[in-house]
Amino acid sequence: MASDQLKAVVETIRANAGVAAEGLSLADRRAAMEAQVTPIPGDVRVEPVDISGLPACWVTAPGADPAKAVVYFHGGGYVMGSTHTHEELMSRISRVCAARVL
């Protein structure tokens, strides 16, 4: 019998199948991905920054050492995703690493 964690993964994949469904335009896929964003915890700070024309953000959880930083590049093949779609994951990385995440 599959573990509860595996069942949750399978359910998530099935629920998100429409994002990768055949026939959807790239714009529709992007919109669907943006619509599924998980909110970040209220104690996490997000600061948008511009790096030579490239949009980015600093995500900082409480207790993060300002002298430490993690550079995180989200997947998506330069086609899908944004800083917004990955802020919640970045907040968890910041909390676990006790560092700011760019």
Side-chain angles (χ1 to χ4, degrees):
M1 175 175 236
S3 69
D4 289 339
Q5 292 87 357
L6 178 58
K7 287 178 186 176
V9 169
V10 170
E11 288 174 16
T12 300
I13 291 170
R14 285 186 178 142
N16 294 321
V19 174
E22 291 296 323
L24 285 181
S25 70
L26 182 57
D28 288 339
R29 291 178 194 203
R30 287 177 175 160
M33 187 173 192
E34 289 287 336
Q36 296 178 23
V37 170
T38 303
I40 62 168
D43 62 348
V44 173
R45 190 172 69 246
V46 177
E47 301 170 71
V49 294
D50 182 284
I51 303 172
S52 298
L54 178 68
C57 65
W58 282 109
V59 176
T60 309
D65 182 342
K68 295 180 182 178
V70 173
V71 178
Y72 172 75
F73 295 95
H74 74 78
Y78 302 100
V79 176
M80 300 286 294
S82 66
T83 56
H84 181 64
T85 59
H86 288 74
E87 287 172 350
E88 193 276 333
L89 175 58
M90 293 166 68
S91 74
R92 287 186 278 139
I93 294 169
S94 177
R95 199 176 302 277
V96 169
C97 295
R100 301 183 307 151
V101 178
L102 180 70

